[in-house]
Amino acid sequence: GTARLSRAEPRAGDGRSEEEEEEEVKEEGCYQLYPGHIPTSPLQKALLAAGSAAMALYDPYRHDMVAVLGETTGCLALPNLRDKMKHHPEGYRILQERPRIRLSTLDMARLRGLPDGTLGREYVRFLEDNKVSPDTRMPPKFVDDEELAYVIQRYREVHDLMHTLLGMPTNMLGEVVVKWFEAVQTGLPMCVLGAVFGPVRLSARKLQVLATELVPWAVRSGRNASCILNVYYEQRWEQPVESLREEIGIFPPP
Amino acid sequence: VYQVFESVAKKYDVMNDSMTLGIHRVWKDILVHKMNPSPGTLLLDVAGGTGDIAFRFINYVRSVRERQLQRKLRHHQNLSWQEIAESYQEDKSKSLGDSQVVVCDINKEMLKVGKQKAQYLGYSEGLSWVLGNAEELPFDDDKFDVYTIAFGIRNVTRIDLALQEAYRVLKPGGRFLCLEFSQVSNSLLSRLYDLYSFQVIPVLGEVIAGDWKSYQYLVESIRRFPPQEEFKAMIEDAGFFKVDYQNLNSGIVAIHSGFKL
């Protein structure tokens, strides 16, 4: 038989959570909590965190590494986010209903038909202008809690909506700004690292704009805004972007 | 297994270097040295994918050939200029001395990477690339002088069939050589090796190749492979004589050898 190291899998920092939905099986291999889940030991997570961070810096096109970094370092931030969602009526509903943002679930034609300035119209415009699709988000693999796996999935799928609400394109500069906003909002170490190290590859001129205008605005907005995961975007396509910004607390982009 | 190697093909060499910290190169060098091929040898390298063994074989045979030519020159020091120049022409066309290596692999992607490497490294003559299954080789009986399979036989579903095929395609007097991961006897080393295999290797797979699962499979397939003595018995069952094995790095890797008589 295979010689596996047995280890007591620590529940990701949520001693307070009463909802232990899953049976805690201590054998690796029988431990898949959701499709795509790969159970990992603490040592493996540490190695993954270090490796993915290094690889993401070395090759910024390795989006999968950014995703892995987020999963392996999110053990404090994710339960935090989940609790914020649980204690908010809209967030709670999202956790119950588990909506997914995917091309198959979105009615693109309808959204395109909405008036200019509405969330739906601007979101589709953003996707088309930047030639991105919500389907390219990586599903989580290394999060050892099924609900937290959904939380990080939701965070990833909502990322494009963040771009829309903040009015930022998908170039390096735009991504860094969104990362600053997300870092303040979520506290995910991956966002913090991305926000701090992302600018390394920017030109001096862009760095200046970043430092003087964009980052302060992003940080102020992030602080002022309510939790962005608590917004049921799928039910707000008709809402004008400006009104949604006001409601959440995001300041108008410079 | 096929799908594992499809995704693995492009990053195969990088992963090998990272996983073994470059030591796999030494293992492969030792294999070819043990083979000690002379010019004119016809080698079949099965599961040879990206060409590591094939290239080493060619290098070895070339250097042996060069030494042969130098020796010949020393004996010819009483010849005229013209005669020496003419003998160069003749020898140049046989820099490998008619040695040939056929690289056979079941996976097109691996062969593709191998061909590209050959081009990049400047290997042209003496190499052939054939798509084939180790359990059912597309070659006639009694054809090859040497059969090698390096880190490939553990991926074969019916190892006994592969061994029988190896026996079939070898000439009488031909040699079977297998380089493969094996069992570590030293218990401390074995524990460290297990730790490294299960904790580090899948992580390397995820970070470098974006593929945890394939490398998890790899580590598991190594554990499932029969230990040295058992494998030796299997080779004997296929009809080989003088079967022996040599442990490298305390059994992390072993070279099994047998002859068709």
Side-chain angles (χ1 to χ4, degrees), chain A residues 69-253:
Chain A
L69 182 61
E71 289 168 33
T72 50
T73 53
C75 46
L76 288 174
L78 284 177
N80 214 340
L81 281 172
R82 189 254 308 268
D83 290 343
K84 274 200 200 152
M85 289 175 80
K86 259 206 283 199
H87 295 126
H88 186 280
E90 215 169 324
Y92 186 77
R93 252 188 317 128
I94 296 174
L95 276 179
Q96 294 296 95
E97 290 169 32
R98 305 271 179 101
R100 298 288 303 271
I101 303 179
R102 265 191 295 227
L103 282 178
S104 51
T105 58
L106 294 176
D107 188 349
M108 298 296 279
R110 180 179 87 92
L111 294 180
R112 220 176 275 122
L114 289 173
D116 283 347
T118 52
L119 182 64
R121 182 72 193 92
E122 296 310 312
Y123 177 58
V124 171
R125 194 191 308 267
F126 166 80
L127 290 179
E128 287 170 355
D129 283 352
N130 291 276
K131 299 195 188 35
V132 288
S133 145
D135 291 356
T136 56
R137 303 294 152 215
M138 297 260 330
K141 291 193 286 235
F142 302 111
V143 181
D144 290 331
D145 178 307
E146 193 253 334
E147 196 171 31
L148 295 181
Y150 175 73
V151 172
I152 208 174
Q153 176 95 72
R154 180 77 183 159
Y155 153 75
R156 283 182 192 154
E157 291 178 358
V158 152
H159 178 78
D160 289 333
L161 282 158
M162 289 303 102
H163 272 280
T164 311
L165 285 176
L166 293 171
M168 289 288 129
T170 56
N171 55 25
M172 199 64 195
L173 185 64
E175 291 291 351
V176 170
V177 178
V178 177
K179 273 283 162 294
W180 274 96
F181 179 78
E182 286 177 345
V184 174
Q185 273 276 312
T186 64
L188 280 168
M190 176 265 281
C191 295
V192 176
L193 286 172
V196 170
F197 286 102
V200 160
R201 290 171 186 264
L202 290 173
S203 66
R205 190 174 49 87
K206 287 193 175 152
L207 273 174
Q208 213 197 11
V209 177
L210 191 68
T212 54
E213 283 179 38
L214 296 172
V215 166
W217 161 71
V219 171
R220 264 185 302 129
S221 291
R223 279 213 175 113
N224 189 50
S226 60
C227 181
I228 41 120
L229 288 183
N230 279 338
V231 180
Y232 209 135
Y233 298 99
E234 292 90 329
Q235 295 181 343
R236 290 168 179 264
W237 294 125
E238 286 91 2
Q239 189 174 1
V241 171
E242 279 177 29
S243 134
L244 187 57
R245 268 193 204 132
E246 241 188 84
E247 192 181 328
I248 299 178
I250 299 175
F251 299 121

Side-chain angles (χ1 to χ4, degrees), chain A residues 3-5 38-41 43-44 47-48 51-52 55 62 64-65 68 141-142, chain B residues 11 194-195 198-200 202-203 205-210 212-213 216 220 223-224:
Chain A
R4 300 295 204 119
L5 295 176
I38 298 176
T40 41
S41 67
L43 174 60
Q44 284 175 323
L47 292 170
L48 271 174
S52 60
M55 186 53 101
R62 289 290 302 271
D64 62 325
M65 287 293 101
V68 169
K141 291 193 286 235
F142 302 111
Chain B
K11 300 262 176 135
D194 278 353
L195 182 74
F198 284 101
Q199 299 299 308
V200 180
V203 174
E206 179 70 23
V207 173
I208 297 177
W212 176 285
K213 296 238 157 98
Q216 178 80 36
E220 287 168 6
R223 290 296 169 298
R224 281 197 293 260

Side-chain angles (χ1 to χ4, degrees), chain B residues 46-61:
Chain B
V46 177
T50 56
D52 280 349
I53 302 294
F55 302 148
R56 282 172 172 77
F57 171 82
I58 292 179
N59 290 343
Y60 195 99
V61 155

